Amino acid sequence: MIRPPGSTQSDGPGSDVGDPIYGFPVGLWRGLERNPPPGLGRLRAWRSPLRGPWLTSVFGAVLLVALPVVIITGLLDYIAYGPQFGQAIPADVGGLRLPTFDWPTHPSWLFRLTEGLHIGLGLVIIPVVLAKLWSVAPKLFAWPPARSVAQVLERLSVLLLVGGILFEIATGVLNIQYDYLFGFSFYTAHYYGAWVFIAGFVMHVAVKLPRMITNLRSRSLRAELRTTVAGTRPEPLDADGLVATDPAPATLSRRGVLALVGGGSLLVAVLTVGQTFDSARGAALLLPRGRSYGDGPNDFQVNRSATAAAITPADTGASWTLSLHGGPRPVTLDRAALAAMAQHTATLPIACVEGWSSTQTWTGVRLADLAALAGVPAPRSAMVGSLEKAGAFNHATLAGNQILDPDSLLALRVNGADLSVDHGYPARVIVPALPGVHNTKWVRSLDFRSS
Ligand SMILES: Nc1nc2c(c(=O)[nH]1)N[C@H]1C(S)=C(S)[C@@H](COP(=O)(O)O)O[C@H]1N2
Ligand SMILES: [Mo]
């Protein structure tokens, strides 16, 4: 006879004799139960009187609202990179391919919003994620790990969920700090890690949602917010085993825990908003690019300086020319010829995938005018080439709608002054709602394609 583990009625708990469980002798299961891995015994003394299904469900409810936003904005950002041009990373994702569409240019702050939400909200919920893990710790370290097939599946989904979210947080935070201490591509790892996490998240929500709702109803949030440490009692013992069987006296109330976690999130928010709102830049203590970038009109974040990109004064000097391709014959323009064309001014953000964004007023020649001059008035795409010899920033592809938007510019000036060399002098691309990385600096060529 095959019985699931746990159905031990015939032998009584702890008995080593009886029918095999999943074909293994009962003694093996009992031995496993009695001999947890080293260290786990000590971990089992979970005594906080605050742990319980209600508190776990409060953290769960917050994450249930926030995580889908982080997930969806993350996937949208991948699409914004233009996988159809092979310039999203990873480029080939096989069965995990997302539906692609031409990323719109309106509203101009679209990518700033999706990227800012993805990174900002992703950072702000870290204290909540940690609090939720703390609240279910007795279950994460439970031994034996599972007693039934259903439990094995549940634990597997929790492994994807917890492993996935910690991996996404670690790779995400390290990336925005430009700390590539891992030896693999951040983008590839973060993309596949996201799908592992999404799988775990969907399974977890499906299994736990009804219980979360019941648990939330088991106590009144208003009452908890009025309860002091002295009045704090454990939740009633629960079937899941979250509530301590031998609780210690409370040293913190439930409202205290909520305030601690909420305060942690608020602190992260204060340290982060300056990445997006220039007026709060001074508070962005964790901003990896520093908080000042020189003087005058060109004082805003420099992602990679000309020196770092190996752009020399000779490259950007009087001999610089721009070449336009794709039409009947190439067209070459120097900076004076560009400056003599119709100039257009637009106030547009640069929003970097690393989370910062900054809105400036740019002046230059419309990309649509350059396309017409090249002899390709209705381009479907354009490859923008940079003076940079090689590497990730050597070129970027723009879609037709991104070329033809009247605010899409080859900018020569910013905030009324010539671009600084660090911001892309002699000329750079600026396109509404385009991911920062594709606003190529030090442009050397534009290759318009009608297919
Ligand atoms: N040629 C070139 N263009 C580039 C880059 C670069 O390193 N080289 N960095 C890109 C990135 S990642 C961003 S976010 C923006 C930043 O522009 P800024 O340095 O003028 O703020 O430029 C983009 N264009
Ligand atoms: Mo960037």
Side-chain angles (χ1 to χ4, degrees):
M1 174 181 134
I2 292 185
R3 307 180 315 176
S7 53
T8 56
Q9 303 89 321
S10 57
D11 314 316
S15 166
D16 283 4
V17 289
D19 296 329
I21 301 175
Y22 295 128
F24 294 102
V26 159
L28 185 82
W29 293 102
R30 296 289 163 262
L32 206 64
E33 204 164 346
R34 281 196 297 262
N35 297 292
L40 207 64
R42 248 178 300 131
L43 278 174
R44 294 177 99 182
W46 305 103
R47 295 192 59 205
S48 170
L50 299 177
R51 271 201 197 85
W54 180 81
L55 190 67
T56 293
S57 297
V58 171
F59 296 138
V62 173
L63 295 176
L64 183 60
V65 174
L67 282 170
V69 177
V70 178
I71 291 170
I72 289 166
T73 51
L75 295 176
L76 282 174
D77 288 350
Y78 179 85
I79 295 172
Y81 266 66
Q84 68 271 43
F85 300 118
Q87 58 186 357
I89 314 172
D92 183 9
V93 293
L96 294 176
R97 205 169 298 123
L98 292 166
T100 56
F101 48 86
D102 280 350
W103 186 252
T105 51
H106 286 286
S108 66
W109 41 262
L110 182 64
F111 185 76
R112 190 179 183 208
L113 179 76
T114 56
E115 184 62 40
L117 270 179
H118 181 68
I119 293 193
L121 201 54
L123 289 171
V124 160
I125 61 173
I126 290 177
V128 186
V129 170
L130 297 179
K132 180 144 197 283
L133 285 177
W134 169 84
S135 79
V136 297
K139 296 213 65 189
L140 295 179
F141 294 99
W143 191 265
R147 290 166 189 276
S148 67
V149 176
Q151 261 189 10
V152 170
L153 290 179
E154 199 212 310
R155 306 268 332 207
L156 268 178
S157 78
V158 170
L159 188 70
L160 301 182
L161 179 79
V162 175
I165 200 160
L166 293 180
F167 184 79
E168 291 303 278
I169 288 174
T171 49
V173 168
L174 289 173
N175 179 61
I176 60 176
Q177 296 299 326
Y178 304 89
D179 196 344
Y180 298 100
L181 55 80
F182 34 77
F184 45 76
S185 155
F186 155 78
Y187 300 98
T188 303
H190 203 67
Y191 187 82
Y192 289 115
W195 284 108
V196 171
F197 167 69
I198 291 168
F201 181 69
V202 168
M203 283 194 263
H204 191 69
V205 171
V207 172
K208 302 282 184 168
L209 187 63
R211 226 175 306 165
M212 185 195 86
I213 294 168
T214 318
N215 293 340
L216 284 176
R217 292 199 179 124
S218 71
R219 299 175 89 81
S220 140
L221 178 64
R222 279 161 137 236
E224 290 301 336
L225 292 180
R226 278 193 234 106
T227 306
T228 60
V229 180
T232 299
R233 303 277 171 276
E235 294 182 43
L237 285 178
D238 63 318
D240 284 334
L242 291 177
V243 180
T245 44
D246 174 26
T251 51
L252 196 65
S253 60
R254 283 189 188 81
R255 71 173 177 192
V257 173
L258 296 180
L260 190 70
V261 176
S265 289
L266 194 67
L267 179 67
V268 176
V270 167
L271 294 177
T272 307
V273 285
Q275 301 229 24
T276 303
F277 297 103
D278 286 332
S279 49
R281 222 202 264 172
L285 295 174
L286 302 180
L287 200 76
R289 278 288 169 245
R291 288 177 298 285
S292 177
Y293 311 95
D295 300 312
N298 277 278
D299 172 25
F300 57 96
Q301 290 90 329
V302 173
N303 180 59
R304 222 156 126 256
S305 67
T307 312
I311 300 290
T312 65
D315 292 331
T316 58
S319 63
W320 174 85
T321 55
L322 171 76
S323 53
L324 308 176
H325 304 271
R329 71 196 71 81
V331 177
T332 303
L333 300 162
D334 61 13
R335 201 167 187 280
L338 281 169
M341 290 178 70
Q343 302 290 302
H344 181 74
T345 296
T347 298
L348 297 173
I350 290 189
C352 180
V353 68
E354 277 109 29
W356 62 264
S357 60
S358 184
T359 301
Q360 310 296 334
T361 300
W362 311 87
T363 302
V365 181
R366 282 185 166 130
L367 292 179
D369 291 350
L370 292 169
L373 187 64
V376 191
R380 302 280 290 276
S381 68
M383 162 109 91
V384 181
S386 155
L387 287 172
E388 282 193 58
K389 313 283 175 301
F393 303 104
N394 162 266
H395 64 269
T397 303
L398 304 175
N401 65 321
Q402 293 166 333
I403 304 162
L404 296 175
D405 188 288
D407 281 345
S408 295
L409 305 178
L410 184 70
L412 307 178
R413 298 163 68 78
V414 64
N415 303 321
D418 275 348
L419 289 171
S420 67
V421 176
D422 283 343
H423 282 304
Y425 182 91
R428 76 164 310 156
V429 164
I430 183 84
V431 167
L434 189 69
V437 60
H438 293 151
N439 290 303
T440 304
K441 306 197 273 192
W442 313 297
V443 173
R444 174 230 293 278
S445 61
L446 294 168
D447 186 356
F448 296 100
R449 289 153 188 192
S450 39
S451 59

